[in-house]
Amino acid sequence: MDRGFTRPLDVPALARIALMSPAHFSRQFRATFGETPHRYLQRRRIERACAKLRDTDASVTEIALEVGFDSLGTFSRTFTSLIGRSPTRYRAEATPLRAPVCFVKAWTRPTDAV
């Protein structure tokens, strides 16, 4: 899921790889990671979007499509629910972080804003 985050989520295919039924895979995934496979994928996509918003001049729409969202509306809604502000506002307030990527990912990992 981390490598193919730009592709649509296919729980049945993931379940086959894990030798589980789709329902059992989803339950086990949630028990292990504390969220559904869909939410995990959204979080990974938003994490990548945050980095692109901080470090590039690409438009918000370009970034939304690059990280695997089909529409700007869905991207903005998901981004705002996880980060607590719009992608445009995030970009305006964020500054590039000069640190190893592993630290930046840990520091900026999205959590539910609510």
Side-chain angles (χ1 to χ4, degrees):
M1 285 176 66
D2 285 331
R3 279 192 313 259
F5 68 92
T6 60
R7 294 190 303 265
L9 176 65
D10 185 359
V11 170
L14 294 170
R16 279 192 301 277
I17 292 167
L19 303 174
M20 298 178 187
S21 72
H24 186 65
F25 174 79
S26 291
R27 282 191 304 273
Q28 289 301 110
F29 191 97
R30 185 177 190 125
T32 302
F33 294 100
E35 58 192 354
T36 65
H38 182 258
R39 190 59 163 189
Y40 178 88
L41 182 61
Q42 284 182 324
R43 196 176 304 281
R44 297 288 77 79
R45 288 174 173 171
I46 296 301
E47 183 178 273
R48 267 76 169 190
C50 285
K52 290 181 177 292
L53 287 166
R54 273 192 321 272
D55 301 332
T56 72
D57 291 327
S59 74
V60 173
T61 302
E62 289 171 332
I63 291 170
L65 297 174
E66 281 180 34
V67 300
F69 284 90
D70 292 332
S71 75
L72 179 59
T74 302
F75 171 71
S76 293
R77 210 171 23 260
T78 303
F79 191 98
T80 301
S81 76
L82 287 173
I83 303 300
R85 52 194 158 165
S86 72
T88 304
R89 183 169 160 216
Y90 177 86
R91 173 176 266 168
E93 295 172 353
T95 56
L97 299 172
R98 305 291 179 226
V101 172
C102 58
F103 288 110
V104 172
K105 283 184 178 182
W107 295 336
T108 60
R109 181 152 285 133
T111 58
D112 290 324
V114 178

